[in-house]
Structure formats: structure tokens, C-alpha cells
Amino acid sequence: MLRRSLALTLSVASALLYATPARADDVRYQKPPKAILDALNAAPLPGMSAAPGGASLMLTTPLRYPPVADLSTPMLRLAGIRIDPATNGIHHAAASTALALVRVSDGKRIPIVLPAAARVSNLQWSPNGKRFAFTNATRTGTALYVGSAANGTIARVGSLAVNGVLGVPFTWSANSASLLVRAVPAKRGPAPMENAVPTGPVAQDATGVKGTIVTYEDLLASPHDEATFAYYATSELAIVDAATLAVTRFGKPALFSEAQLSPNGKFVLAASIHRPFSYLFPYERFPVTTTVIDTHGTVVRTVADEPLRDNITPEGVSPGPRNVAWEATAPATLAWVQALDGGNPESKATDRDAMFTLAAPFAGQPHDVVHTQQRMRQVWFVGGGTQAMVATNDRTARLTTVALVDTAAQAPAFAPLWTLKDNDRYNDPGTPIFKDGAVMRVGDEIFLRGAGYGADGRKPFVDRMNLTTKAKTRIFQSGLAPLDTPMALLDPATGRMIVERQSPEMPPNAFLREGTGAMRALTAIADPAPMLRAIQRRVVTYKRPDGIDLSFTLYLPPGYTSGALPTYLWAYPAEFNDASVAGQNTNSTQTFATIGGAREAYLALAGYAVLDNASIPIVGPTRTANDTYVEQLVAGAKAAIDRAVEIGVTDRNRVGVGGHSYGAFMTANLLAHSTLFAAGVAESGAYNRSLTPFGFQNERRTYWDDTPLYTKMSPFAFATEIKAPMLMIHGMKDDNTGTFPIQSERMFAAIKGNGGVARLVMLPNEAHGYLGRETIETVIAETVTWMDKYVKNAPKATAATTP
């Protein structure tokens, strides 16, 4: 209660620091300038997804900016989850408000008639593409609907209420005939009532075993929390017939975190959470039992019973079976990965992981398929046989290797297909294209789809790869303009596919591309915000003094011709252990420019040059890159400003800096350790690294391993050096690890107490990412007001020219 009162007090008391003191009821949501508000109010672009087989497309209209009133509905913050007790799902889950089908054969658009005030989530095509299903959240529960791709009609599955607390609440069967649903138990009673009189203290024990304590939000804190979490997370399994919508419930209710039908539909792989719960970790670390049950609810085999995972080391994994799943190419065969080093990456071991399989009837010992020297990250089964693609990662060298393994062999070879440096976008071979849950295979060939980044821009592609020779043939590659991104490969033999086509002037639309290259439009989505086309945009490249290539996307105001402008630099630092990879340019002007949320690019409409996504790489050995974090941060920011001044768009004395989360941390550090900027805007950041003592971002050392480093990287420790005004914005219900609202509250107090200029704006009912319409408008308005006062209208000599 004390902490919440402090947050409210600070948010009100600091609301107008640079104006005259105001009463609490004088603080209201704000509106940005009209040019920005008009763009903000434009309709969102629809999302598009292709049905398996490519006969239909689904267009979804996202709920872009819900009113703050929606975010203010009751919310339970339990076990790392934010639960809406009315819907029995995630509080304010991402949703769509309208759906429409597009028939690929003739391009006909078929609107889908939804219930009034629909909030559609979890949209899934059936594997054969003939049906689709989705959930609709209401204030009396979450309903399940099944629709026909032939005519767009939908039907509700009776009075069934699904349980979305622990993830997507349903999956399709492999034959598209039914759905496996996690439903609210039919005979569930009322929610637990909290006893006003405590039954005793709340206690926790440390048992002498090391483990990383991450700064999680929304954890359990009392026996009542435990009971409430169990109440809302408990579900009952049910089979829904996709044709008749008949519901068959089976088995005992449990806290199912996973439930998947076997490909032959005869068994269910179920993972259920159980006590003892933890007050230090979210539900993903709770004890969990993984079993195979039949569709009558009888347990056939217990695969694993993992205890509370409270002592996993940094970058470690559970020592027991993990990533348990059905083998997509077999009727009913389990596959999983298990650590051979106890899950500890610091342990010396010849092999780190092993892959196992176990076929129905799930008796006897599992088949030990293959051992790997590095940690397994992903396993993809390849259609038409017993092969799998296994991705392993070398955490020290930061290399990912994808290899082919025969799961039926007694001692299969680990045959590498490719190796890729982490974050290497230019050489990324892409990811497999899937069909019926497995990697699409024709003969001895599979198909890879990639973004196609290169020094000259993006050129999305589809490759055919021979699994025996490893030879690749490019069957499609986009040009630079227009940009064509493959959505669905319909005919591997001819290269017939559905692509999303866009350009800086043309909104994303779906096209049918024949193997000959002929294109036919399937959608005709118009530009919802033509005022944004007046913003000038280009990619600017340059070098850091140490020779690393950098870039930013430059946004200039409508009508700009020449002259130095007030400038806003926005960035998010990234770590690299390879300088060549750090220098890759992923900025692009090939896409249709859209601006969503409280985006920094809106400031171009307020008369600023915006250096968006400025490269701020932190380069060095995996373990020690942050030893020069501050120096590299300042060097990267200065290089961006120098380049913007050189090309004539930036007034060096009128530059502001901003960022969100780790970008906010960057912002405070740049203000503390340089005089490059006239002001800063920091959104939802962490500023005192002693509050994240077991590591942060990619930093693996703990506070006790290297206390001086944590101090050097904490702008809180250098609050006396922050001379430029800093606006801090933070969601009062931040759900991100490490960025507790108290981070901004204490940073503001430090600056204020040391005589600095700052403003703290705490956003009611907002999490780490801001959603509410009134919130988005206010964040933009606050930013423009702050930048106008301290950057645009600053005296010419406000900031020095060197750090």
C-alpha cells in the first residue's frame, strides 16, 4: 500500500513540475498537435493470413487503441499472469474487431458477421484450410466459434466457456475434424474469498542451492493468491466436433498449461501445473507433470514430473525432459529433449543435450536418438520420413547450427545443413516452410523462406534446398521495389505463391503470383493515413570512429527542403560479439510507412528531424562486452549526430534523445555521461542495476560478480551529472522484468533531490507497452511539449558539441 501511495503521490505531484503547481484534479489526459492526432486516428491496416492450401485469406481488423476504460476493468496479477476474471483469460489480450474472408480463386471478399462488440482472439485455420476457429471475449466469459471458409458463416460452440489463462485454449486435430479445448470446468464453484483475518505469516526458505532470482512482476504473495490462481487457471479438457459442434468433456480438471492431440487423434499430451507454488517465480517455473492420456481421461504414461524449478542457473535449462511434443510425421510418437549436463551451461560436458522419442503404446524405454555438444533450441520434423532438423546454439561463440538427424536410426549422424552467427541478418538462410505440422518436403528437397536482408536493402526469398547435397536453388526473390514478401507457397513445382506486396506509396496488399511471375491482386486495401505520405524518409549510413558501419532511418517534416532542424534521436542498444554483424543495416525505406502507438516518428509532423532506430551496437566478447558499454554508447550517439549535422538536417545544439525500456536506460546514461543532448525522454526504463542484481538484457554477470560494473552502468549512481532535463514516463502496472515503476520513481527523486530538471508521468493501468488511446495521445503530447520547451526553443548554446 505504501508503494502504491508513493507512486500516486509522485505522479500527481510531479505532473506539472515545469509549470505552476496544480491540484490533483487539474491533471488530465492530453491531446497531441492536430497533425499528429489526425494520423493517430486513422484506421489501422488489416492483418492478413493465408489458409493452409491457399484457397482463402483472412483479413483481421485489429483493436488498435482501446480506451483506458477497457484497461481499467478488474485485473488479477497472479503467478506472472494478468487475469481478467470476467473473461477467464488474459487481461486485455490482443484482439480484432472485424473479420473478412477473401476467396483466392476470384478475389471475392466475404464479410464475417460477428457478435456485437466482438473481441476476437486466437484465430486459427484448420489444417485443411476449410474451417477456422476463434474466441470472443465478453464480460461473462470467453466463447468459442467455428467458421466455414466456404461462405464465412460462423457458429458458437453452445454455452462452452474456454479458459485462456495459461495460453491459447484450443488446438485443431490433425485431420481437421475436431478441436481439443481447455474449458472452464462445468461444475466450478465461486471464486475464493479472502479472509480478512490472516491465518499466519507468509514464509519462504532458501535451501543453500544457488539459483538466479529474476526481478519478475505479478507474483503470488499469499495463500489467497495461490487459491485464486488455481481457481482461474484450472481447466477441463473437451473435444469439440467441428461439424456438429458437439462437446465431449473428459478427464479430471487440472491446471493444464499444454494440451495437444496426437496426430492420429487417440491420445492427448498434457502438461499440468501443481503445488507447491512459488512466490519468487512465475508459473512457468512451478512443478509440472507431463502425461499422455487417452480421450477418456485415463493416464497412459507419465513422461515427466518436474519439481519447482527454483535453482536454474543463468541461461540454464531444466534438467528433466523439456519441449515435449508429438512427432508430426508419426501417428502417436512423443519426442523431447533432455539435458546431459544437469541443465547448467557452466558445467564441463562432452555432450549437453540428448533427444528422445517414444512411440505408442508408450511402454518400455524411450529411444535415445542423438546427443549434441551444444544446447538444442528447436526440433523440426521433416515430412515424408523419419528425419528431423535440429537447431543447436553455442552460447560462447554465439553460433547456431541446424543439422539433419534420422530419428529412426540407432546411431544417427548429426549432419550440419548450415551454421549462422547470432544476429547475422545478411547471411540468414531463412526458416523452413511447413505443411501439416512438418517441414514441407518434395522428394529430397525442403523449402526455406527468408527476409533477405543485404547491404542494399531487403529482398525476401524462397529457396529450394536438397537435403543430401545441401545445394540451394532460388525459386523466388523480391526486387527492392515493390517489396514482395511470400505468405504461402501453393505449388513448390512452379513457384506459385501468395505474396504481400507493398512500396512506400502502396499499402500492403495480397497478390497471387503465378510461377511465370504474373501477378493478380487479391485485396485492394487503401491508404488509411495519406497525411503520413508527406513525411520524408530515407536511410542514412555512416561509421563509428572504430570503423563499425552504422545507420538510422531519417524522418523529415512535410515540405522540408533544407536547413538544420531540431532533432530527436531514438534508439535501442544491442549487443554483438562480431563487429561485422554489428555493422549490418536493417533500416529500410522499402515498406509502406505506418506509425502506430506512441511512435517517435510522429515528431516529424511537429517539425523535427527524427533519427529513428539509430544503431547503438555494444560490441565485444560475450561475457565482457558491457565493460565498455558507456564508451560505446556515447560513441554511437555522437556518430549519429555528427552524420546528421554533416548532411545538413540537424542543429547540433538542439538534439534530444529518447528510448523505451533498455532504450530509456540508454537515454539516462547518455544524459549522465555526455553533453550531446539538450533533453531526454525515457519511457519505462530501469536505472538502478542493483535492483536487477542477477543480470539484465545480455549481461550474465551478477551484481556480486562485478559490483563496479553495475555501478558504472547505473545512471542512478550518476544522477548529479544529469544536467539536461529528462522526461520520464512509466506504466503504473509495468509487467516487464526489471522495470518496476519504482525505477522511475527513485530516478526522478534522485534528479529532483540533486537540483536537476525532470518530470515524472505515471500512466494509470498501463503495462510495459502502452495501449490505451488516451495514454498514447498523452505520451505523444508530453513528448512534444517537453521537446518543444527544451530542444526546439532552446538557446543556441544549450548543449556542447563534444561529450
Side-chain angles (χ1 to χ4, degrees):
M1 182 63 72
L2 178 62
R3 178 180 166 191
R4 184 171 182 274
S5 298
L6 174 64
L8 289 170
T9 300
L10 284 174
S11 65
V12 171
S14 63
L16 293 173
L17 266 181
Y18 58 83
T20 56
R23 301 187 309 274
D25 60 358
D26 286 337
V27 181
R28 295 288 185 268
Y29 285 111
Q30 302 172 43
K31 299 284 187 183
K34 185 178 183 304
I36 296 176
L37 191 62
D38 289 345
L40 197 65
N41 286 331
L45 287 169
M48 296 185 288
S49 67
S56 305
L57 290 175
M58 183 71 76
L59 303 184
T60 58
T61 301
L63 177 60
R64 195 178 188 188
Y65 307 124
V68 168
D70 281 14
L71 306 183
S72 304
T73 55
M75 176 174 67
L76 304 173
R77 302 167 67 173
L78 302 168
I81 311 173
R82 300 192 162 185
I83 300 171
D84 186 331
T87 66
N88 212 109
I90 298 301
H91 190 270
H92 205 81
S96 298
T97 58
L99 302 176
L101 280 169
V102 175
R103 200 161 55 200
V104 171
S105 60
D106 57 8
K108 182 179 180 181
R109 181 180 173 126
I110 306 171
I112 296 173
V113 180
L114 297 174
R119 294 292 183 267
V120 171
S121 298
N122 303 310
L123 178 69
Q124 292 184 47
W125 287 104
S126 63
N128 64 11
K130 294 181 179 180
R131 290 189 173 95
F132 56 92
F134 61 85
T135 60
N136 180 40
T138 75
R139 302 318 299 164
T140 57
T142 301
L144 177 65
Y145 285 78
V146 177
S148 166
N151 54 26
T153 58
I154 62 172
R156 179 174 176 174
V157 181
S159 59
L160 184 73
V162 302
N163 188 336
V165 167
L166 297 180
V168 178
F170 69 89
T171 58
W172 281 95
S173 64
N175 65 1
S176 302
S178 60
L179 302 97
L180 176 64
V181 181
R182 282 181 275 168
V184 172
K187 297 181 180 180
R188 187 174 70 171
M193 297 293 292
E194 185 167 15
N195 190 344
V197 180
T199 59
V202 174
Q204 301 180 67
D205 293 314
T207 60
V209 179
K210 284 186 176 182
T212 300
I213 308 297
V214 179
T215 47
Y216 294 110
E217 304 269 7
D218 305 333
L219 300 179
L220 301 177
S222 68
H224 174 69
D225 282 355
E226 294 188 52
T228 304
F229 167 68
Y231 176 84
Y232 286 102
T234 296
S235 57
E236 191 172 32
L237 298 179
I239 298 289
V240 174
D241 186 292
T244 67
L245 304 187
V247 178
T248 304
R249 296 175 184 259
F250 64 96
K252 296 179 180 179
L255 281 76
F256 293 111
S257 56
E258 295 285 346
Q260 297 285 337
L261 276 168
S262 60
N264 65 6
K266 294 182 178 180
F267 302 98
V268 173
L269 175 63
S272 57
I273 294 166
H274 60 81
R275 286 180 168 86
F277 300 152
S278 171
Y279 291 8
L280 290 176
F281 296 96
Y283 80 93
E284 291 93 344
R285 294 284 193 96
F286 291 1
V288 59
T289 301
T290 303
T291 58
V292 175
I293 63 178
D294 63 24
T295 51
H296 300 290
T298 302
V299 176
V300 178
R301 169 104 180 198
T302 297
V303 181
D305 192 0
E306 288 287 291
L308 178 67
R309 285 152 286 173
D310 60 349
N311 58 357
I312 296 177
T313 58
E315 296 190 298
V317 297
S318 169
R322 69 182 194 274
N323 302 336
V324 186
W326 293 113
E327 188 172 328
T329 54
T333 296
L334 294 172
W336 68 86
V337 177
Q338 192 161 344
L340 299 175
D341 59 0
N344 185 355
E346 300 296 337
S347 298
K348 292 184 178 180
T350 302
D351 294 321
R352 298 226 168 262
D353 272 345
M355 176 183 173
F356 296 91
T357 59
L358 182 64
F362 314 107
Q365 294 300 310
H367 172 43
D368 188 341
V369 177
V370 68
H371 292 193
T372 58
Q373 295 179 351
Q374 304 298 338
R375 189 73 72 209
M376 287 192 215
R377 296 304 184 192
Q378 284 182 302
V379 175
W380 302 306
F381 292 98
V382 180
T386 59
Q387 291 178 311
M389 296 170 66
V390 177
T392 62
N393 182 260
D394 182 335
R395 61 186 286 273
T396 302
R398 291 191 179 181
L399 289 173
T400 293
T401 298
V402 175
L404 196 64
V405 172
D406 187 342
T407 63
Q410 288 302 314
F414 186 76
L417 296 173
W418 68 78
T419 298
L420 183 70
K421 296 176 182 178
D422 289 3
N423 300 314
D424 185 352
R425 306 298 293 274
Y426 285 7
N427 297 295
D428 189 347
T431 55
I433 294 176
F434 289 82
K435 181 179 181 181
D436 297 329
V439 176
M440 179 190 292
R441 179 174 185 160
V442 177
D444 203 26
E445 295 178 324
I446 63 169
F447 301 86
L448 303 172
R449 172 170 44 198
Y453 279 100
D456 56 347
R458 280 180 59 199
K459 296 179 181 179
F461 64 84
V462 175
D463 280 350
R464 177 188 288 114
M465 181 178 191
N466 188 290
L467 292 176
T468 301
T469 66
K470 303 181 190 177
K472 289 191 288 187
T473 303
R474 185 141 295 178
I475 63 175
F476 166 78
Q477 182 160 30
S478 173
L480 291 172
L483 184 70
D484 292 332
T485 303
M487 294 174 60
L489 180 59
L490 306 185
D491 187 348
T494 65
R496 189 170 186 258
M497 65 184 69
I498 297 173
V499 301
E500 179 190 76
R501 167 167 282 195
Q502 62 180 309
S503 72
E505 298 78 28
M506 182 177 71
N509 275 282
F511 283 74
L512 179 64
R513 183 186 185 278
E514 301 292 348
T516 60
M519 304 281 279
R520 174 167 64 85
L522 300 174
T523 61
I525 299 165
D527 185 350
M531 70 285 291
L532 296 180
R533 269 3 92 211
I535 295 177
Q536 302 175 49
R537 180 176 57 144
R538 71 176 190 265
V539 174
V540 177
T541 59
Y542 51 102
K543 288 183 181 292
R544 208 164 71 174
D546 58 5
I548 293 177
D549 293 316
L550 305 177
S551 66
F552 56 73
T553 299
L554 174 64
Y555 292 91
L556 293 169
Y560 171 84
T561 54
S562 64
L565 297 171
T567 297
Y568 191 39
L569 184 152
W570 182 272
Y572 189 97
E575 295 88 354
F576 302 87
N577 68 340
D578 187 297
S580 65
V581 174
Q584 293 180 357
N585 174 26
T586 56
N587 284 304
S588 172
T589 58
Q590 299 168 254
T591 58
F592 181 75
T594 58
I595 305 177
R599 278 289 308 279
E600 59 282 355
Y602 278 125
L603 266 76
L605 294 175
Y608 290 83
V610 180
L611 317 185
D612 191 26
N613 194 31
S615 303
I616 306 287
I618 308 300
V619 185
T622 301
R623 187 169 177 82
T624 59
N626 279 333
D627 287 357
T628 55
Y629 170 84
V630 170
E631 294 82 358
Q632 293 194 63
L633 201 69
V634 173
K638 185 176 184 301
I641 295 171
D642 287 348
R643 181 59 172 150
V645 170
E646 180 184 349
I647 63 177
V649 300
T650 290
D651 177 350
R652 187 183 297 277
N653 293 320
R654 294 189 297 159
V655 182
V657 61
H660 185 90
S661 193
Y662 207 55
F665 174 64
M666 170 206 73
T667 296
N669 266 309
L670 284 170
L671 296 186
H673 296 288
S674 79
T675 54
L676 292 167
F677 300 99
V681 179
E683 298 177 2
S684 299
Y687 310 104
N688 183 348
R689 285 303 169 193
S690 71
L691 298 179
T692 57
F694 285 94
F696 53 90
Q697 209 71 1
N698 286 331
E699 178 55 57
R700 296 169 176 172
R701 291 164 289 185
T702 71
Y703 176 82
W704 300 276
D705 291 332
D706 198 334
T707 303
L709 173 76
Y710 274 66
T711 301
K712 179 183 178 181
M713 291 184 67
S714 295
F716 179 83
F718 299 91
T720 56
E721 304 304 312
I722 297 179
K723 307 302 183 184
M726 185 162 75
L727 168 64
M728 282 176 284
I729 302 172
H730 213 121
M732 293 175 70
K733 294 183 178 179
D734 195 320
D735 57 347
N736 187 54
T737 57
T739 54
F740 294 103
I742 198 172
Q743 288 272 10
S744 287
E745 295 165 1
R746 293 293 86 207
M747 188 68 194
F748 168 76
I751 295 174
K752 183 179 186 298
N754 283 289
V757 178
R759 177 175 171 83
L760 176 64
V761 178
M762 303 296 287
L763 306 171
N765 299 312
E766 291 289 352
H768 193 63
Y770 315 144
L771 293 176
R773 171 169 290 279
E774 298 93 329
T775 298
I776 299 298
E777 293 172 350
T778 297
V779 169
I780 297 172
E782 288 279 357
T783 300
V784 171
T785 299
W786 193 259
M787 290 286 291
D788 282 355
K789 182 178 178 93
Y790 293 109
V791 177
K792 180 183 286 187
N793 299 316
K796 290 283 177 96
T798 294
T801 58
T802 58

